[in-house]
Amino acid sequence: MTGAAKRVLLEVLGWLLLLAGIAAILLPGPGLLLMAAGLAVLSQQYTWAERLLDPVLLRALRAAAEGVETWPRIVMSTIFALGLGAFGALWIIGPDVPSWWPIADRWWLAGGVWTGVTLVFSCVLALALLVYSYRRFHGKPEARAALEGRIDEADGDAQEQRERMRRRDAEERRREEEDER
């Protein structure tokens, strides 16, 4: 594969992952992790993506830690993930439209088998992430504190970078105004 083709392929993949992550924030799925994966791919070519990668990834880890803080959260997350898998299996099996279905038949299990496949994939991924989060964060306040420290550090770095950019922009505007005089 040529360098240009590889670059285009990686860019398309990065944007697709980023958009899927944005969609998955609203829909079932690991939104922040997909966004982080997209930013990781795009960061190979764009500095803006590199700057955003750590904050998004750290927020995803924070959400993972919060998801396993208490047993009710763990149970609800597990039930939700298994529910996704059950709905995915229903979509894959594709039963006939029931007589009680109130709208047009074409809206019964819209999307077909591929909707089911993505729901089952989301179920497996959610369960795997739940196990990972449980093993890494549950009952480990030191791991959570370390993560919060990294988030605070990243926020401080981002603030410093924004201040540098503001000063640079102000200096450029000042120079432009001087050149116009």
Side-chain angles (χ1 to χ4, degrees):
M1 179 180 296
T2 67
K6 182 179 178 183
R7 181 175 183 264
V8 168
L9 181 66
L10 286 175
E11 187 158 344
V12 168
L13 175 65
W15 281 107
L16 285 174
L17 286 168
L18 186 59
L19 290 173
I22 292 168
I25 287 175
L26 303 172
L27 303 170
L32 289 174
L33 289 177
L34 287 172
M35 287 176 64
L39 288 170
V41 172
L42 291 172
S43 70
Q44 296 176 22
Q45 298 179 41
Y46 298 106
T47 55
W48 63 264
E50 188 175 350
R51 281 193 311 268
L52 292 175
L53 178 58
D54 269 352
V56 170
L57 188 56
L58 290 171
R59 284 348 183 253
L61 288 171
R62 176 190 277 164
E66 289 171 354
V68 294
E69 276 182 348
T70 64
W71 279 107
R73 287 184 182 180
I74 295 169
V75 169
M76 290 305 295
S77 296
T78 304
I79 289 171
F80 181 75
L82 293 173
L84 281 176
F87 279 116
L90 179 69
W91 252 271
I92 291 169
I93 293 168
D96 292 334
V97 178
S99 60
W100 54 263
W101 185 249
I103 57 178
D105 289 358
R106 66 188 169 109
W107 294 105
W108 173 249
L109 301 178
V113 72
W114 288 109
T115 299
V117 169
T118 59
L119 286 171
V120 169
F121 177 73
S122 290
C123 167
V124 170
L125 189 57
L127 291 172
L129 291 171
L130 191 60
V131 169
Y132 167 81
S133 300
Y134 183 84
R135 293 182 66 172
R136 181 166 179 187
F137 296 112
H138 186 72
K140 298 178 182 171
E142 68 281 356
R144 178 70 191 262
L147 176 61
E148 290 299 329
R150 287 182 59 201
I151 290 172
D152 291 343
E153 182 181 320
D155 288 347
D157 291 347
Q159 183 64 30
E160 288 175 16
Q161 188 170 20
R162 282 191 294 272
E163 287 300 319
R164 281 194 306 271
M165 291 173 70
R166 280 190 203 113
R167 284 192 300 269
R168 185 193 69 209
D169 291 346
E171 181 64 26
E172 286 177 8
R173 280 192 300 273
R174 187 187 61 77
R175 284 187 195 139
E176 288 173 3
E177 289 172 1
E178 287 177 359
D179 289 345
E180 289 176 3
R181 293 180 194 160

